[in-house]
Amino acid sequence: MAEAKRTPARDEDPGGFTDEERAAMKERAKEVRRGKKKDGAADLLEKIAELEGSDRAMAERLHELITEHAPELAPRTYYGMPAWAKDGKVLCFFQPALKFKTRYATFGFNDNALLDDGELWPTSYALAELTAAGERRIVELVTKAIA
């Protein structure tokens, strides 16, 4: 059996974190240190402006959709990614594909999202592109999550 290929970033760090993961943890530490002094909307818009290509277009559209359909959610960042919070806790977030060098972006929910459906339900969704049908589904999910 062939040995599994390891990425150079994982080989270099005995803790097993990639450079991208370490950078995200540093971003999160900055967010925590800034605490309530930060302007969540400005931080979110700044992070979106740093994105490129389809990641940026999807993040901009997600922010528009969430602002329109779930105005009670507060924009902020989460591990350096665009996110939206309810009662001070991140409810949902957008993980750009380029941030972790993945083939698709992700729109995810944390455990405070009320998406429970039996004993097994998805909390993260791959986004290769954001179509009208995808936008409708995201609005449905966010609306359910905050109910």
Side-chain angles (χ1 to χ4, degrees), residues 58-124:
M58 284 190 284
E60 287 172 343
R61 185 63 183 139
L62 286 168
H63 184 53
E64 290 170 2
L65 289 169
I66 292 168
T67 299
E68 178 182 345
H69 296 280
E72 62 270 42
L73 295 183
R76 59 180 288 182
T77 57
Y78 182 61
Y79 290 92
M81 299 177 286
W84 298 266
K86 179 180 179 184
D87 301 327
K89 293 183 177 183
V90 171
L91 181 90
C92 56
F93 58 91
F94 174 71
Q95 180 179 305
L98 290 176
K99 184 169 186 79
F100 295 104
K101 300 177 184 171
T102 58
R103 66 184 182 96
Y104 52 80
T106 304
F107 186 70
F109 293 89
N110 283 335
D111 64 340
N112 57 330
L114 303 174
L115 297 175
D116 304 38
D117 184 17
E119 58 189 54
L120 178 71
W121 59 89
T123 60
S124 184

Side-chain angles (χ1 to χ4, degrees), residues 43-71:
D43 289 347
L44 176 134
L45 293 172
E46 181 181 319
K47 287 300 175 185
I48 289 175
E50 292 173 4
L51 299 175
E52 299 175 11
S54 63
D55 281 343
R56 184 176 184 172
M58 284 190 284
E60 287 172 343
R61 185 63 183 139
L62 286 168
H63 184 53
E64 290 170 2
L65 289 169
I66 292 168
T67 299
E68 178 182 345
H69 296 280

Side-chain angles (χ1 to χ4, degrees), residues 122-143:
T123 60
S124 184
Y125 297 83
L127 289 175
E129 64 178 311
L130 196 51
T131 63
E135 288 180 4
R136 284 190 300 276
R137 182 67 178 134
I138 286 169
V139 168
E140 289 170 10
L141 289 165
V142 170
T143 302

